[in-house]
Amino acid sequence: MARPLRPYIKQIIMWEEKNNSLYRKFEFKNFSEAFAFMTRVALEAEKMDHHPLWTNVYNTVEITLNTHSEGNIITEKDRKLAKKIDALG
């Protein structure tokens, strides 16, 4: 039997564009899983020198991406980080 992809995450929405940013909300089983996800994202973001605006409340992580150095708009850098984040979820 194939293992389900990302069994611990409930994908609330896919990335959406709003307010010149990419936005996505993730929900996990508990705080530990949400925090572990944030740690993985932080390591990838640091490698790219591109850091998200995010919030975490218990099992929910909300991420907003835009490129500050380009005037707070969505750039290819944001789309690349979004794809990496999707792969970590």
Side-chain angles (χ1 to χ4, degrees):
M1 176 184 247
R3 192 175 111 191
L5 184 64
R6 302 178 185 128
Y8 55 88
I9 185 174
K10 178 182 176 186
Q11 295 185 12
I12 305 299
I13 60 169
M14 298 305 291
W15 291 100
E16 68 180 66
E17 291 187 23
K18 61 187 209 181
N19 301 323
N20 292 320
S21 299
L22 291 178
Y23 168 83
R24 185 156 181 198
K25 183 176 182 179
F26 298 87
E27 186 177 288
F28 298 85
K29 282 195 279 189
N30 55 43
F31 176 75
S32 293
E33 288 185 3
F35 194 84
F37 170 73
M38 291 179 72
T39 301
R40 292 190 301 274
V41 170
L43 293 171
E44 286 301 316
E46 186 65 18
K47 286 180 197 174
M48 294 179 66
D49 192 30
H50 192 51
H51 307 98
L53 170 65
W54 56 14
T55 61
N56 167 237
V57 177
Y58 180 57
N59 68 332
T60 302
V61 176
E62 294 181 68
I63 301 175
T64 302
L65 301 174
N66 67 22
T67 304
H68 307 292
S69 62
E70 296 293 325
N72 293 317
I73 62 170
I74 300 168
T75 66
E76 188 59 28
K77 198 171 188 178
D78 303 301
R79 295 187 192 287
K80 286 179 182 178
L81 181 55
K83 285 181 185 178
K84 287 185 182 269
I85 291 169
D86 286 343
L88 297 172

